[in-house]
Amino acid sequence: NAGVTQTPKFRILKIGQSMTLQCAQDMNHNYMYWYRQDPGMGLKLIYYSVGAGITDKGEVPNGYNVSRSTTEDFPLRLELAAPSQTSVYFCASRLTGAVGEKLFFGSGTQLSVL
Amino acid sequence: DQQVKQNSPSLSVQEGRISILNCDYTNSMFDYFLWYKKYPAEGPTFLISISSIKDKNEDGRFTVFLNKSAKHLSLHIVPSQPGDSAVYFCAASPNRDDKIIFGKGTRLHILP
């Protein structure tokens, strides 16, 4: 059982380039999340989805886009990469929106924008 | 505007002693609190949680205490072990809301 799989693990982008961070889960979870972790800054919520076809903004959505066409996949798109987007990105999922339902995290994507 | 605050960036504790990690929150709508543990190059993993209707929850060596009037919670690890060296994140969620808000984390070092 793979859980939450993120690809790639590492990526270096030039300013202005675009890329998609992939996230897939095989637990049939309805809820999926994207967080970024900057050094000393904890985890900030970028976007989340409560089911296929439904997405919503989190705390820091600017510069990102998401889509949720299937239950399994929740890709995060950076259209015009900026140095401020250098961070470690974590995808997470949970079965329902029930309070206390724990999140399962992927192992992260380390992105550098130079 | 930080809604979940972990004011100690790091903490060092002797092996076998008690580790106490603190967390404060500002949003009175939060009613469920979680602790996650993170090793380098891995995603966070769930550790323990507590609902606002309780003031204590225990799971083995880990106990979480909640003081609603002070908007404060703490994680106690007894006894501390070398494998407990990690970053610990406090997280909170309002009821009927799908967001989970994390603090900045506290890096715990267990000293031999």
Side-chain angles (χ1 to χ4, degrees), chain B residues 9-17 19 21 36-43 45 47 61-62 75 77 79-89 106-112:
Chain B
S10 67
L11 175 68
S12 294
V13 175
Q14 208 75 35
E15 182 180 354
R17 299 287 185 102
S19 295
L21 294 92
Y36 282 78
K37 178 179 179 180
K38 184 184 180 303
Y39 292 119
E42 295 182 10
T45 55
L47 193 58
R61 296 187 297 115
F62 303 93
L75 173 68
I77 305 173
S80 300
Q81 298 176 354
D84 297 329
S85 292
V87 176
Y88 290 79
F89 290 100
T106 296
R107 184 177 299 277
L108 176 64
H109 300 270
I110 303 302
L111 306 171

Side-chain angles (χ1 to χ4, degrees), chain A residues 11-21 76-82 85 111:
Chain A
R11 185 72 186 268
I12 298 174
L13 283 181
K14 293 182 179 179
I15 295 171
Q17 286 185 321
S18 62
M19 78 162 293
T20 300
L21 281 67
L76 178 71
R77 179 83 178 163
L78 284 71
E79 290 294 349
L80 290 170
Q85 293 177 305
L111 176 67

Side-chain angles (χ1 to χ4, degrees), chain B residues 82-99:
Chain B
D84 297 329
S85 292
V87 176
Y88 290 79
F89 290 100
C90 174
S93 180
N95 197 12
R96 300 188 185 88
D97 193 317
D98 305 310
K99 297 178 184 176

Side-chain angles (χ1 to χ4, degrees), chain A residues 31 33 35 37 40-45 48 50 57-59 90 94 97 99-103 105-107, chain B residues 2 31-32 34 36 38 41-44 46 49 89 93-105:
Chain A
Y31 288 67
Y33 300 79
Y35 288 89
Q37 184 189 13
M41 295 302 292
L43 293 161
K44 292 288 189 181
L45 180 63
Y48 66 103
V50 303
K57 296 178 180 178
E59 302 169 273
F90 289 100
R94 60 177 181 169
V99 169
E101 186 82 37
K102 64 182 181 182
L103 288 173
F105 282 86
S107 57
Chain B
Q2 209 179 338
D31 59 3
Y32 209 91
L34 309 98
Y36 282 78
K38 184 184 180 303
E42 295 182 10
F46 172 79
S49 64
F89 290 100
S93 180
N95 197 12
R96 300 188 185 88
D97 193 317
D98 305 310
K99 297 178 184 176
I100 301 173
I101 306 299
F102 284 79
K104 291 184 178 182

Side-chain angles (χ1 to χ4, degrees), chain A residues 17-97:
Chain A
Q17 286 185 321
S18 62
M19 78 162 293
T20 300
L21 281 67
Q22 301 291 344
C23 176
Q25 52 91 10
D26 61 0
M27 298 174 283
N28 204 30
H29 285 176
N30 291 318
Y31 288 67
M32 296 187 75
Y33 300 79
W34 275 106
Y35 288 89
R36 58 178 285 174
Q37 184 189 13
D38 301 329
M41 295 302 292
L43 293 161
K44 292 288 189 181
L45 180 63
I46 305 171
Y47 270 96
Y48 66 103
S49 168
V50 303
I54 307 170
T55 63
D56 207 346
K57 296 178 180 178
E59 302 169 273
V60 290
N62 292 343
Y64 306 94
N65 279 301
V66 293
S67 60
R68 185 92 183 275
S69 57
T70 66
T71 298
E72 294 78 19
D73 300 298
F74 190 40
L76 178 71
R77 179 83 178 163
L78 284 71
E79 290 294 349
L80 290 170
S84 61
Q85 293 177 305
T86 294
S87 189
V88 181
Y89 292 82
F90 289 100
C91 179
S93 71
R94 60 177 181 169
L95 182 59
T96 72

